[in-house]
Amino acid sequence: MNERAHARQRWAARASLTCAGLALIAPMGTAPSGGLALVAAGAVSVAVSLVAVWWMLTRRGWFRIASGVLAVAAPAGAVTLFVTAHLFWLLLLLLALWGLAVWTGKFALSSTQSHVVQVVEYETPPPARPFLIMNPRSGGGKVERFGLRARAEELGARVHLLDPTRPDGPEDVAALARDALAQGADLLGVAGGDGTQALVAAVAAEHDVPFLVISAGTRNHFAMDLGLDRDDPSTCLDALTDGVEIRADLGFANSNPFVNNASFGAYAAIVQSPAYRDDKVRTTLELLPELLTREKGPRLTAHLTGMGGPVVAIDSPQAVLVSNNPYSIHDIAGLGRRERMDLGVLGVLAVTVEGAAQAAGLLRGRHSEGLTAAAAREVVVDADQDAIAVGVDGEALMLTTPVHCRVEAGALRVRVPRTRPGVPAVKPALDWRRLRKLAARVGWTALPKSRQTRR
C-alpha cells in the first residue's frame, strides 16, 4: 500500500474517532433542554423494544400482541419526546454522526484498495464431454430467462432438463450424474439450488471429475463464496471453454453432503413442518415459542473435535449451524459469507439463549454470551431423540442420532471461468483500539518497513 493510501486510512480513522466523539458530547450542549435525558430515554427504548421482540417470539395470544405493540411503541415514544422537546434535529445529528463514525472506521480498518481473496488455480484442459443438470424452476426460471440450455449445448455440453411435473416425484440427480459418468462424461455441472448442487458435487468428488457450478438458484450462496457471477448465470458457462480449476471442501452430515451448511434445532424443526412451505411466517410464529423455550423439540448437545485441543461441548443450544468452512460473523453484513472454501475445517455457530437480555446481547456478534463460534474438523450433534430434523443446504431431512458432521478437505475440483468477479474480502470488525492506534500514526511511520528504510 503506497503513502497516499496510508494517509487516506489514517485520516479516515481520525474522522471516525472525531464523529464518535462529537456524537458523545453533542447532547451535553443541549443540557438546558434535556438533551442528555432524551438520549438516555432513547437508549432505554431500544432495550425495551429488543426485550419486547423476544417476548413476541416466545409467547402467544394477547401477550404476543401486546409485546408487538410495545416493540414498536417504545422507539416511537422516544422519537415523540425528541419532537416535543424541539430536539428532533439532535436525534438526526446523532444518527448521522454514528453512521459516519462506523462507515469511516470500517474504511480505515480495511484496505483502501478493493481486493479479492486469492485462491490457487490449476490449469487443466477443457472438458470434452460435459454433462449438465438444469432445474427449470430454480431461481424463478433463470434457466429459461438466461437461455442456459441453448448456450450450454452450443458449447458442446449435454444437458438434462429436470421435469418438475413428474407424477412419481423428483428425479434422482445423483443417479443421473452417475449414469452420465458411466456414459463417458468428464465433467458434471448443475444449474439449480444449493441442495441439488451438493448431491451432484458428492458424485463428482467420489469419481474425481471436475464440477461446474451455475448460479441459477435463488440465493446462490455456494456460487457467491466461489467468486462466481450471481447476476448473470450464463457467465459460469464460460468455464467450459476458458476455465481453471480450484479446490473446495465438501461437508457431510452422516452420509448427506452439503456445500453450505447443516442446521439443527429451531430452524431445522420449523422447515420440517408440512405447513412451512405454504405459510412461512405463520408457521414460524406458531412453532417458535416452544422451540425457543425448549418446551418442545429435541435437547441438543454438540461435541467439537479435531483442532488439537480438548473436546468442546455445547449443551442445550436452541440452534446449531455447522458449515462447510467458517462464516464471517464480524457484523450482520458478513453473515452468510465465507472468505475461503479450502481451509479443511467446519464452522460452528451455536445459539444458547436463556432470556430476553441474552437474546438482545446477540447483537454484539462474536462477543455475545449466547453465541458460540468455533471451528472443528468433526462435529457430533446428539439429542434425546432417536432422529432429529436437520436442514441440509435448505433441504428438510430426518437423520438418526448422533449426527456426525465432517469435512473432506479439497474433495471438489471446481471448474470456474478464468475471468470472474472473485470473492471480496470480508470487512474487519470495528475495533476502536485499532482505530486509535491508526489515527495516532504520523507521516512516514505508517509506511511499510521497506519504504521507511529507503528514507
Side-chain angles (χ1 to χ4, degrees):
M1 191 184 298
N2 57 33
E3 183 175 357
R4 183 175 298 178
H6 275 289
R8 285 198 297 266
Q9 281 192 314
R10 200 160 57 247
W11 284 106
R14 292 168 182 172
S16 177
L17 294 174
T18 300
C19 289
L22 289 174
L24 292 174
I25 65 175
M28 299 179 185
T30 60
S33 304
L36 284 172
L38 288 176
V39 172
V44 171
S45 73
V46 172
V48 170
S49 182
L50 292 173
V51 171
V53 169
W54 171 257
W55 287 339
M56 186 176 67
L57 295 176
T58 56
R59 305 295 179 89
R60 286 200 178 92
W62 67 267
F63 200 102
R64 168 176 280 177
I65 296 173
S67 299
V69 172
L70 180 60
V72 176
V79 172
T80 302
L81 289 176
F82 275 92
V83 173
T84 303
H86 304 290
L87 289 176
F88 186 61
W89 64 269
L90 176 62
L91 178 61
L92 295 179
L93 177 63
L94 293 178
L95 292 175
L97 286 172
W98 280 116
L100 282 172
V102 171
W103 184 79
T104 53
K106 289 277 190 179
F107 176 84
L109 293 174
S110 61
S111 173
T112 55
Q113 297 177 345
S114 60
H115 62 285
V116 293
V117 177
Q118 298 297 319
V119 297
V120 179
E121 298 179 349
Y122 301 93
E123 293 286 345
T124 57
R129 302 186 63 184
F131 175 77
L132 308 181
I133 298 173
M134 297 189 178
N135 184 349
R137 286 189 175 180
S138 186
K142 288 183 179 179
V143 169
E144 181 178 354
R145 190 160 69 249
F146 288 91
L148 298 182
R149 181 178 186 177
R151 170 69 174 154
E153 290 177 340
E154 287 176 4
L155 296 174
R158 183 161 66 94
V159 177
H160 179 90
L161 207 63
L162 297 177
D163 182 4
T165 63
R166 277 168 44 108
D168 52 345
E171 297 177 80
D172 186 338
V173 293
L176 289 172
R178 290 191 177 92
D179 288 344
L181 292 175
Q183 297 173 32
D186 58 356
L187 176 143
L188 298 176
V190 174
D194 287 335
T196 306
Q197 298 274 6
L199 293 172
V200 179
V203 177
E206 178 185 350
H207 293 270
D208 193 31
V209 298
F211 179 62
L212 177 65
V213 177
I214 305 170
S215 55
T218 301
R219 290 175 291 274
N220 299 300
H221 284 165
F222 189 44
M224 174 178 66
D225 295 333
L226 290 173
L228 301 177
D229 188 343
R230 294 191 298 164
D231 296 325
D232 185 358
S234 65
T235 61
C236 300
L237 294 171
D238 294 341
L240 293 175
T241 54
D242 185 23
V244 293
E245 285 187 18
I246 61 175
R247 286 285 181 172
D249 305 334
L250 185 63
F252 287 86
N254 287 349
S255 60
N256 301 276
F258 60 87
V259 293
N260 291 327
N261 56 65
S263 59
F264 304 80
Y267 173 75
I270 290 170
V271 298
Q272 191 75 27
S273 170
Y276 179 75
R277 191 172 297 274
D278 296 328
D279 195 338
K280 293 180 173 60
V281 174
R282 178 176 295 182
T283 305
T284 300
L285 291 175
E286 181 67 24
L287 296 177
L288 267 181
E290 285 85 359
L291 293 173
L292 293 179
T293 57
R294 300 189 182 90
E295 294 177 17
K296 284 187 178 179
R299 193 173 188 87
L300 302 176
T301 304
H303 298 275
L304 286 56
T305 60
M307 298 303 289
V311 176
V312 176
I314 305 172
D315 188 44
S316 300
Q318 280 103 332
V320 178
L321 185 74
V322 180
S323 59
N324 176 19
N325 284 262
Y327 285 115
S328 167
I329 59 168
H330 288 311
D331 55 20
I332 293 177
L335 286 176
R337 283 188 50 200
R338 293 161 291 180
E339 246 189 349
R340 300 293 297 266
M341 290 292 300
D342 58 355
L343 298 177
V345 296
L346 297 168
V348 181
L349 294 175
V351 176
T352 308
V353 177
E354 301 299 340
Q358 214 170 38
L362 290 176
L363 295 177
R364 298 177 59 204
R366 67 167 58 245
H367 302 294
S368 168
E369 294 181 0
L371 179 67
T372 300
R377 297 197 184 278
E378 183 178 13
V379 179
V380 179
V381 180
D382 208 347
D384 56 357
Q385 298 179 6
D386 294 334
I388 56 174
V390 184
V392 180
D393 278 343
E395 301 293 329
L397 304 176
M398 290 294 297
L399 301 184
T400 56
T401 56
V403 179
H404 292 259
C405 298
R406 58 185 176 85
V407 62
E408 288 193 6
L412 281 176
R413 297 169 52 193
V414 185
R415 189 165 181 86
V416 297
R418 189 182 304 275
T419 302
R420 58 193 187 281
V423 183
V426 176
K427 293 182 179 180
L430 193 59
D431 187 330
W432 296 106
R433 180 179 299 178
R434 286 182 59 200
L435 279 176
R436 288 195 299 270
K437 291 181 178 179
L438 183 59
R441 291 178 178 176
V442 179
W444 66 272
T445 59
L447 293 175
K449 291 183 178 180
S450 59
R451 294 286 299 278
Q452 295 175 27
T453 302
R454 285 198 293 270
R455 291 191 173 199

